[in-house]
């Protein structure tokens, strides 16, 4: 297994080269930046519209040159050659080159292709669990005027323990092996899964709240804004996003922005992105929950990232002469209207640890269902021999589809 991991890592390194997510009218000096806050006159204390959107179609695939088109310019510089100005000193003295319009996304350029290439069913497993309501991420807007422009909006991000398509959730119970599964009254059968029709109810994970208060999320800003239908939420508290993969999870902590475009009918998030600074020291904490338990492989990926850091963790601390300590990262998503249940879930979302009972040289297999739809469609000969039609059926019938990366960014 170690030889296979090393081979895959080497192959991806050799094929790696050296997000525009915004329309040109929203660029600042040609750089991929967030849109300006609209005039203060667009907001009033009487604004009372609330909207909740459930994340779907979370896409991590940035292979080829997709990394160039997804992300933000996080340092105010467009580093197109090794001689250009950079925010900090790279490990080898040569800073990684930026993507389009100064996009900082070295993580998408170097690390994500390694992970997605090694674990081909990663996005399928995230889509399967999100579709079932397990760990679904929720974007909540409050004190909004309901129009495409509002200078001050209360915006928070929460995660759900479970969700259901039931219209009336007042009598649901909780069960399952860890007490985190929604059950019909009487607790003899599980509640129906979400149908992603805009009416699903989700029960919020208490660990995403402050003291279990639904009105106080860990990731929360009372002065976010919406410009031309685009939500802008600053993420400046090392916000952590967790996506279950079944027996594993993908989690990432960053400082940056969440942006999302609301449809004209206010029923969907047509496209969204989370982009920011990812501290190098957090990489192992991100990879181990994926089931990547091999210490030697972890060291190789950490070395790969360390060699290609392009940012400081805090842009306001340090100077251009300091060593780089972070990298730019981004991933995209879409969303659909949803409802938050009045009651908080009674338990935290269980986060599996696939490396807890395996050796230090184990590979990523324990954390993933490897019989997935994307491999069946794109590379069927790579499906494990033991895969059956029954194994693949959950992916084919899923209301929350496997994401298709946006070829042209935003």
């Amino acid at each position: 297994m170690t030889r296979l991991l090393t081979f895959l890592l080497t192959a991806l390194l050799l094929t790696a080269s050296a997000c525009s997510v915004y329309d040109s009218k929203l660029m600042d000096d040609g750089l991929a930046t967030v849109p300006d806050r609209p005039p203060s006159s667009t907001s009033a204390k009487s604004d009372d519209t609330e909207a909740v959107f459930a994340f779907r179609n979370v896409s991590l695939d940035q292979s080829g040159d997709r990394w160039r088109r997804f992300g933000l310019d996080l340092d105010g510089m467009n580093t197109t050659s090794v001689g250009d100005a950079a925010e900090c000193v790279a490990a080898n003295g040569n800073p990684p080159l930026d993507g389009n319009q100064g996009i900082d996304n070295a993580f998408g350029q170097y690390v994500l292709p390694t992970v997605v290439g090694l674990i081909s069913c990663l996005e399928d497993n995230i889509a399967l669990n999100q579709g079932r309501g397990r760990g679904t991420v929720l974007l909540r807007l409050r004190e909004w005027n309901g129009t495409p422009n509002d200078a001050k909006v209360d915006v928070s991000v929460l995660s759900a323990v479970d969700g259901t398509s039931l219209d009336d959730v007042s009598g649901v119970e909780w069960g399952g092996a860890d007490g985190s599964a929604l059950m019909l009254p009487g607790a003899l059968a599980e509640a129906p899964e979400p149908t992603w029709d805009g009416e699903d109810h989700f029960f919020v994970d208490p660990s995403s709240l402050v003291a279990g208060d639904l009105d106080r999320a860990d990731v929360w800003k009372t002065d976010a804004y919406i410009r031309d239908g685009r939500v802008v939420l600053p993420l400046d508290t090392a916000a952590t996003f967790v996506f279950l993969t079944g027996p594993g999870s993908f989690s990432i902590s960053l400082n940056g922005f969440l942006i999302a475009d609301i449809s004209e009918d206010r029923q969907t998030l047509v496209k969204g992105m989370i982009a920011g600074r990812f501290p190098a020291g957090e990489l192992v904490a991100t990879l181990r929950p994926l089931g990547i338990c091999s210490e030697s492989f972890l060291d190789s990926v950490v070395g790969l990232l360390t060699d290609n850091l392009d940012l400081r963790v805090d842009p306001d601390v340090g100077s251009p002469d300091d060593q780089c300590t972070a990298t730019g990262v981004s991933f995209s998503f879409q969303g659909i209207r949803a409802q938050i249940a009045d009651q908080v879930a009674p338990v935290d979302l269980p986060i599996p640890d696939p490396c807890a009972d395996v050796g230090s040289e184990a590979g990523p297999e324990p954390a993933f269902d490897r019989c997935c739809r994307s491999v069946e469609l794109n590379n069927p000969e790579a499906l494990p021999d033991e895969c059956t039609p029954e194994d693949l059926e959950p992916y084919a019938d899923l209301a929350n589809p496997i994401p298709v990366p946006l070829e042209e960014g935003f």
Side-chain angles (χ1 to χ4, degrees):
M1 173 59 70
T2 301
R3 289 184 178 179
L4 173 60
L5 297 176
T6 303
F7 170 78
L8 288 170
L9 176 64
T10 303
L12 285 161
L13 274 170
L14 292 174
T15 57
S17 51
C19 308
S20 166
V21 300
Y22 294 103
D23 298 329
S24 58
K25 65 181 180 180
L26 296 177
M27 297 292 180
D28 178 15
D29 296 329
L31 301 179
T33 61
V34 297
D36 292 334
R37 188 184 298 270
S40 59
S41 59
T42 59
S43 184
K45 291 183 178 180
S46 59
D47 295 342
D48 60 0
T49 298
E50 177 170 345
V52 177
F53 298 91
F55 278 26
R56 65 188 311 195
N57 301 354
V58 177
S59 180
L60 305 176
D61 185 1
Q62 296 174 34
S63 57
D65 66 350
R66 290 191 183 102
W67 66 271
R68 295 180 177 276
R69 302 190 296 273
F70 290 90
L72 291 174
D73 172 55
L74 299 167
D75 58 9
M77 304 175 186
N78 191 1
T79 306
T80 59
S81 71
V82 294
D84 288 345
E87 184 176 87
C88 48
V89 178
N92 61 4
N94 297 323
L97 304 186
D98 289 347
N100 299 345
Q101 287 81 43
I103 282 173
D104 294 298
N105 190 9
F107 193 84
Q109 182 181 5
Y110 294 102
V111 177
L112 277 179
T114 302
V115 174
V116 175
L118 177 65
I119 309 171
S120 55
C121 291
L122 173 58
E123 291 179 317
D124 301 70
N125 281 267
I126 291 176
L128 183 64
N129 284 274
Q130 290 271 299
R132 290 172 170 171
R134 303 291 291 171
T136 302
V137 178
L138 306 169
L139 181 68
R140 186 184 194 186
L141 313 182
R142 292 179 293 179
E143 300 179 11
W144 174 30
N145 64 16
T147 76
N149 289 283
D150 192 335
K152 187 175 184 293
V153 185
D154 184 306
V155 180
S156 56
V157 180
L158 312 107
S159 61
V161 172
D162 206 352
T164 178
S165 60
L166 287 174
D167 294 328
D168 182 2
V169 295
S170 60
V172 296
E173 300 183 31
W174 293 85
D178 50 21
S180 66
L182 274 174
M183 309 293 289
L184 292 173
L188 297 178
E190 290 191 7
E193 296 176 356
T195 55
W196 297 87
D197 60 357
E199 301 293 334
D200 297 319
H201 283 85
F202 292 89
F203 286 77
V204 172
D205 180 358
S207 69
S208 67
L209 303 171
V210 177
D213 187 345
L214 266 178
D215 292 327
R216 301 178 63 197
D218 279 338
V219 181
W220 175 36
K221 290 289 184 183
T222 59
D223 61 348
Y225 60 93
I226 301 176
R227 178 66 179 260
D228 296 327
R230 180 160 290 170
V231 180
V232 179
L233 171 64
L235 303 171
D236 56 6
T237 56
T240 299
F241 297 85
V242 179
F243 303 97
L244 289 187
T245 63
S249 65
F250 174 76
S251 64
I252 191 163
S253 299
L254 52 81
N255 295 331
F257 293 91
L258 180 153
I259 57 99
D261 288 358
I262 304 173
S263 63
E264 291 185 4
D265 64 3
R266 304 190 301 184
Q267 297 304 301
T268 62
L269 299 178
V270 180
K271 51 193 174 184
M273 184 186 68
I274 295 171
R277 297 167 182 263
F278 175 71
E282 297 290 333
L283 183 59
V284 171
T286 294
L287 295 179
R288 288 185 66 86
L290 289 171
I292 299 177
C293 310
S294 165
E295 295 296 339
S296 59
F297 183 67
L298 285 170
D299 290 343
S300 297
V301 180
V302 169
L304 169 63
L305 179 63
T306 302
D307 289 342
N308 292 283
L309 297 176
D310 57 345
L311 299 167
R312 298 195 299 268
V313 171
D314 187 338
D316 298 323
V317 176
S319 74
D321 296 327
D322 292 338
Q323 290 288 317
C324 296
T325 54
T327 182
V329 62
S330 71
F331 56 90
S332 62
F333 61 90
Q334 293 178 307
I336 193 166
R337 284 292 286 265
Q339 300 181 70
I340 292 177
D342 292 335
Q343 298 295 320
V344 176
V347 296
D348 293 352
L349 177 69
I351 306 296
D353 182 2
C355 293
D357 300 315
V358 297
S360 62
E361 293 304 309
E365 290 87 343
F368 291 90
D369 176 3
R370 295 182 297 151
C371 301
C372 66
R373 183 69 167 166
S374 61
V375 174
E376 178 193 19
L377 294 175
N378 301 320
N379 191 18
E381 63 274 10
L383 279 174
D385 294 337
E386 63 270 19
C387 290
T388 67
E390 290 74 21
D391 294 327
L392 296 167
E393 184 178 357
Y395 298 100
D397 296 339
L398 191 60
N400 188 353
I402 310 305
V404 176
L406 300 172
E407 290 296 335
E408 299 304 323
F410 261 39

